[in-house]
Amino acid sequence: MKAALLKSYGGIDQFTIDEVPMPQPEAGEVLIKIEASAVNPFDLILRQGFMAQFIPLELPAVLGGDAAGTIAALGTGVTGLTVGDRVVGDFPANGKGAHAEYGVLPASSVAKLPANLSFEQGASLVKAGLTGRQTVDALGVKPGDRVLVSGALGMVGRAAIQYLQEIGAKPVAGVRAERLENARSLADEAIDITDQPAQATFDFAISTAAAVAGNLINHVRDGGLVASIVQVPEGVNADHRVNIHELRHRTDVDTLDAVLKAASEGALIIPIAKTLPLSEIGAAQSAVADGVQGKVVLKH
């Protein structure tokens, strides 16, 4: 089968399209014929070797965490799924990822794709949808609660805002001044996240944009709660004035089912900015690096 291989850590010139052996599902696993996969910012970090100390990849490696396709084979003991099912998969960062014609995953990392969603849509929803919901759930917000979301026009920010609306909370988009108009079309309210507020007015906030993570804290009242997927600058909360819950995406099929259901019903929309063939993985990563507004998806 063909796969996009990362030969060595470095630039996009380290990618090559080559033949690799077909993986086979073991007990509890499924083989997916991948029709589309998404490129996430984390893939760029892996490619450049910035996580090599913590997530060492056996090179050449296949990147890609989000995929959609059909089940081609089942390992022993798998129930609830059948060959031919349209599914999405949440691939781990282990060098055996989704940028290939086929991929193997634990059945517990796979969810059925609703009939009214395309493979491209399915691939775009996985980690953004999961992480967006997980940040909201970490806050324990209730209907009517006002929640500040930085990076609101990013994919995780969008997913968080739409989930907040779904549960009856009141999301406030925190973006730079030049993006306020776009943000107001998504959230109930929008503010310039770079402003220094005269008074903190939020009990809850979600931090998804590293560049403004420090200033977001200034908008949160004493004792407030921040769910952050980015590193909070050292010293910003030295007095522990606010409670910061740092979290990372985790695989959770029940949550993924909820993400897909919301998308199928129109309650969650993740825009797709570019769709490119698998052979253009370098261009796809460059588009993400350039800050394209929307998901970049590879068709296989």
Side-chain angles (χ1 to χ4, degrees), residues 88 110-114 130 133 252-264:
V88 300
V110 173
K112 291 183 181 180
L113 180 65
L130 281 172
R133 285 190 173 237
D252 181 342
V253 169
D254 289 341
T255 303
L256 187 52
D257 282 334
V259 166
L260 295 170
K261 182 175 185 292
S264 72

Side-chain angles (χ1 to χ4, degrees), residues 8 18 58 99 115 128 133 163 195 224 247 282:
S8 181
D18 211 340
E58 183 179 341
H99 298 329
R133 285 190 173 237
Y163 182 37
D195 276 350
L247 68 155

Side-chain angles (χ1 to χ4, degrees), residues 16 21 38 58 69 86 137 142 172 178-179 202:
T16 183
E58 183 179 341
R86 300 171 76 250
D137 290 342
K142 304 180 297 297
V172 178
E178 63 270 20
R179 305 190 72 188
F202 291 91

Side-chain angles (χ1 to χ4, degrees), residues 96-269:
K96 301 175 182 178
H99 298 329
E101 289 185 314
Y102 290 84
V104 164
L105 268 180
S108 58
S109 298
V110 173
K112 291 183 181 180
L113 180 65
N116 65 334
L117 296 178
S118 68
F119 290 122
E120 291 81 7
Q121 288 173 304
S124 73
L125 290 165
V126 181
K127 283 186 174 60
L130 281 172
T131 309
R133 285 190 173 237
Q134 287 164 0
T135 57
V136 172
D137 290 342
L139 294 176
V141 298
K142 304 180 297 297
D145 284 339
R146 190 165 168 261
V147 183
L148 175 63
V149 182
S150 73
L153 295 177
M155 302 307 101
V156 174
R158 285 176 179 272
I161 281 176
Q162 291 173 83
Y163 182 37
L164 286 164
Q165 291 168 331
E166 186 182 330
I167 65 176
K170 297 181 178 179
V172 178
V175 295
R176 297 182 184 276
E178 63 270 20
R179 305 190 72 188
L180 283 169
E181 185 175 347
N182 286 340
R184 289 189 182 107
S185 66
L186 175 68
D188 298 3
E189 182 184 346
I191 65 168
D192 183 350
I193 193 66
T194 66
D195 276 350
Q196 183 64 35
Q199 182 179 0
T201 59
F202 291 91
D203 293 316
F204 302 102
I206 293 171
S207 179
T208 75
V212 295
N215 203 50
L216 174 133
I217 305 298
N218 297 324
H219 291 266
V220 181
R221 296 187 181 106
D222 290 358
L225 179 59
V226 177
S228 181
I229 65 167
V230 297
Q231 186 171 0
V232 177
E234 190 173 346
V236 167
N237 191 43
D239 56 357
H240 302 290
R241 185 181 63 81
V242 304
N243 302 300
I244 300 175
H245 180 57
E246 293 190 13
L247 68 155
R248 298 292 179 266
H249 146 273
R250 67 182 186 279
T251 301
D252 181 342
V253 169
D254 289 341
T255 303
L256 187 52
D257 282 334
V259 166
L260 295 170
K261 182 175 185 292
S264 72
E265 295 173 351
L268 172 61
I269 298 172

